[in-house]
Amino acid sequence: MTKYIFVTGGVCSGLGKGVAASSIGSLLEHHGLTVRMLKIDPYINVDPGTMSPYQHGEVYVTDDGAETDLDLGNYARFTSSPLGRPNSVTTGQVYQEVIRKEREGQFLGRTVQVIPHITDEIKSRIFKVGEEPGVDATIVEIGGTVGDIESIPFLEAARQFIHDLGRGRVLYVHLTLVPAVSDGEPKTKPTQHSVAALREIGIQPDILLCRSAEPLPEVLARKISLFTNVEDEAVISAYNVQHTVYEIPLIFAEQKLDQIIMTKLSLQHSPCDLSDWRKVVDTYRGAAHAVRIGLAGKYTELLDSYKSIYEALYHGGVANGCRIELVKVDSDHLPRGEELGRLLSGLNGVLIPGGFGQRGIEGMVDAAGWARRNRLPCFGICLGMQVMVIEYARSLLGWKDANSTEFVPNCEHPVISLLEEQIDVKSYGGTMRLGASQSRTLPGSRMREIYGQEVISERHRHRYEVSNLYRARLAEAGLKFSAFTLDDSLVEAAEWPDHPWGLGVQFHPEFKSKPVAPHPLFASFVAACLSHA
Ligand code: GLN
């Protein structure tokens, strides 16, 4: 008898519904409960895989190769809910499926409508995740803001849960904003309106999470309670935390959010021990040193484009007891020559992240070259590794035109080229090399030392690879390929020789890092940056 917790958002976007939903998941898990997380995105794209990072931030990839919303990354960092294709639902997927059934004649001549056909499809997707045996609670985050046209069918489906399952199994949590006006006075009116909008759809929230700059004064909580019919103690202050989002489960627990949820849903639970989270927060807060790490990417204007990377760096900081000072290095506007040196010499390490398309590539190559020559720790991820290989070929083999066929299809030395199976692929959605696969690390390599394991599993999202035609020549020139797919057909990692820390990986380790279990590659990279500092 899984319980369902719906998390909605009001007033405006960007209040942190994902972190709020994840924090609830984390608290319930700390009480020994089994939790599942699910994100609903009301856009019509089938998945965010084809969207620009500026539109949507990072695309989070799961083991089963689903390209999903970045909130699944939050779920992965805060909870141990299994995450895959079923945990990310979009309007596009729902309509695609209903239209497929209609074309197959499955609706037996009936008119196909939003209610019940679209709402049934939404509900069946939620049930699919929730009705797995042994699940105590399924947390469903509904993207967008209450009042948006797009989210109406999802809110209607959420409302029907009470009709279908009865009160005791369903809970509605609403995250709203309590803004402060010019004199700093917090205002409750937007929250009142947003709850009114929710009620219009037929949903009476059980719990309000009130996002505000400062902790919500008691009188205002009571006022909100009066206007919204939400019990006093269920009006929770989700105030801005000082250091890290990982404090949020702690501030929710202080206000007994976990107890309120478990009581309302009659969830049998064990006592809660949050010491692992407290340790994460305290370690970071108390860190004596900071390291400056440059992120040499082309989407640096929107840091959410690299969400999992900067979270993983932060976890690396926790592992090493230091703070991370992230420096945006816009690879599209990098200076050259001495000025580049001035910019990079102020850093303790540089990370070159993934990306698509030619813009910004030459800046990344310059940054990699500078880091290699000047012994600055350098971590290349996916495109970042490809850039490190291109730079190496240009500098040490003298192939000035070495490139990836993604950027210069007819270059003379295509050291990075299209995967064999990608050559005839014409459609864009979900057609890359996606999801988890295993690779073997080479004995004696930095990769082996860091993982301490021969066979590892990491997630991929790319079309291009180190070309096998150039593997031998690059290796002769000193580049150390240190991990391969199990059949040896593809390169998975490359290391610079005689360098304090220069390593590129074709996969995305950032997706698997957690604050309570930092990824070994990030822990090792940050350790190298700390030595540099
Ligand atoms: N654009 C490169 C490729 O497709 C790298 C992709 C990435 O960094 N995720 O291979």
Side-chain angles (χ1 to χ4, degrees), residues 354-356 381-383 386 406 461-464 506 508:
F356 295 83
I381 293 182
C382 204
L383 175 69
Q386 298 174 357
E406 179 179 2
R461 182 173 186 250
H462 60 111
R463 286 182 211 282
Y464 296 81
Q506 186 58 77
H508 289 272

Side-chain angles (χ1 to χ4, degrees), residues 42 126 139 168 276 308 419 421 449 485:
I126 297 173
I139 300 168
D276 54 346
S308 291
L419 272 170
E421 69 253 30
E449 186 195 314
T485 46

Side-chain angles (χ1 to χ4, degrees), residues 329 339-348 350 366-367 370-371 376:
V329 180
E339 229 187 294
L340 177 71
R342 265 197 295 280
L343 180 78
L344 297 182
S345 56
L347 302 175
N348 305 123
V350 62
D366 288 349
W370 194 93
L376 180 71

